[in-house]
Amino acid sequence: MSGVWGAALRRELTLIWRAPADMVQPLFFFVVVVSLFPLGLSPKPALLALVAPGAIWVAALLAVMLSLDGLFRRDQESGALDQMLTSPVVSVVPVAAKLLAHWLLTGLPLALMAPLLGYMMQLPVAVLDTLMISVLLGTPTLTVVGAIGAALTVGLNRGGILLAVLVLPLYIPVLVFGAGVVRTAQDGLPTDGLLAVLGAILALALSLGPVAVALGLRISAGD
């Protein structure tokens, strides 16, 4: 099973690496959206620092969702998805490898870029580490939850709108606690509790999410 996991992970990393647009597009979207807030609101540092947690987290949420619409579509068009679902190995293993590879090349860069954007949005330097940790904990959950919606809509021609309708309500807890922990750090209050909640949500998503994604793919395939 470990050999299958390693082979599936290498395959997914290679496929994503060969399509650099799939990696750059979410990160570019993230940077552009956050950069528009100082232009559209005000360059005043106090106002930017006030809206920064929500702005950065909403931009990260939308960037993750933008990257998920074609998560399984290329595999479906090439026939690799049917092969994965009919293989003797449990389909959860390649699904989990695909989700990890997708997050490493799309979600992780968002977390690494978040402190720089937070600094641009006038967040205190002492808060930037909390911002990065919250995005590190939140983006994998967004990826897994969004992948469930992507699996259910993979067979639809215009599944992007339906994907947004399905996953946006499920993203609300991550958005609330992710932005909330940054605001709490801004106020100088302890953030361990909120970070623990984000970690618990992530643990729940990692334990149940790949199974739900595999079931969603089977439903879409009509199995």
Side-chain angles (χ1 to χ4, degrees), residues 191-222:
T191 59
D192 295 344
L194 292 176
L195 289 175
V197 172
L198 283 175
I201 296 174
L202 174 59
L204 181 64
L206 293 179
S207 59
L208 300 179
V211 178
V213 173
L215 291 175
L217 290 172
R218 292 188 178 277
I219 292 172
S220 296

Side-chain angles (χ1 to χ4, degrees), residues 1-6 89-90 93:
M1 190 69 71
S2 61
V4 175
W5 163 266
V89 181
V90 181
V93 176

Side-chain angles (χ1 to χ4, degrees), residues 72-168:
F72 300 106
R73 200 170 305 281
R74 187 182 297 111
D75 289 336
Q76 185 196 37
E77 294 172 352
S78 65
L81 184 60
D82 294 332
Q83 184 179 6
M84 180 179 66
L85 295 176
T86 57
S87 65
V89 181
V90 181
S91 57
V92 173
V93 176
V95 164
K98 189 175 189 67
L99 295 180
L100 176 59
H102 182 81
W103 179 79
L104 286 174
L105 295 181
T106 57
L108 182 58
L110 300 183
L112 298 178
M113 181 61 69
L116 180 61
L117 295 179
Y119 184 78
M120 183 190 72
M121 293 288 287
Q122 305 298 322
L123 282 176
V125 176
V127 177
L128 298 181
D129 57 343
T130 302
L131 173 63
M132 186 173 71
I133 293 172
S134 68
V135 178
L136 277 173
L137 291 173
T139 47
T141 305
L142 298 178
T143 298
V144 173
V145 174
I148 299 174
L152 292 172
T153 60
V154 67
L156 303 179
N157 292 329
R158 296 183 179 179
I161 297 177
L162 182 57
L163 172 63
V165 172
L166 289 175
V167 303
L168 278 177

Side-chain angles (χ1 to χ4, degrees), residues 48-61 114 123-124 127 130-139 142 171-191 194-195 197-198 201:
L48 290 179
L50 181 64
V51 302
I56 293 173
W57 259 98
V58 168
L61 183 153
L123 282 176
V127 177
T130 302
L131 173 63
M132 186 173 71
I133 293 172
S134 68
V135 178
L136 277 173
L137 291 173
T139 47
L142 298 178
Y171 279 174
I172 291 176
V174 181
L175 175 64
V176 170
F177 287 109
V181 70
V182 181
R183 292 194 193 95
T184 302
Q186 281 182 287
D187 295 336
L189 301 175
T191 59
L194 292 176
L195 289 175
V197 172
L198 283 175
I201 296 174

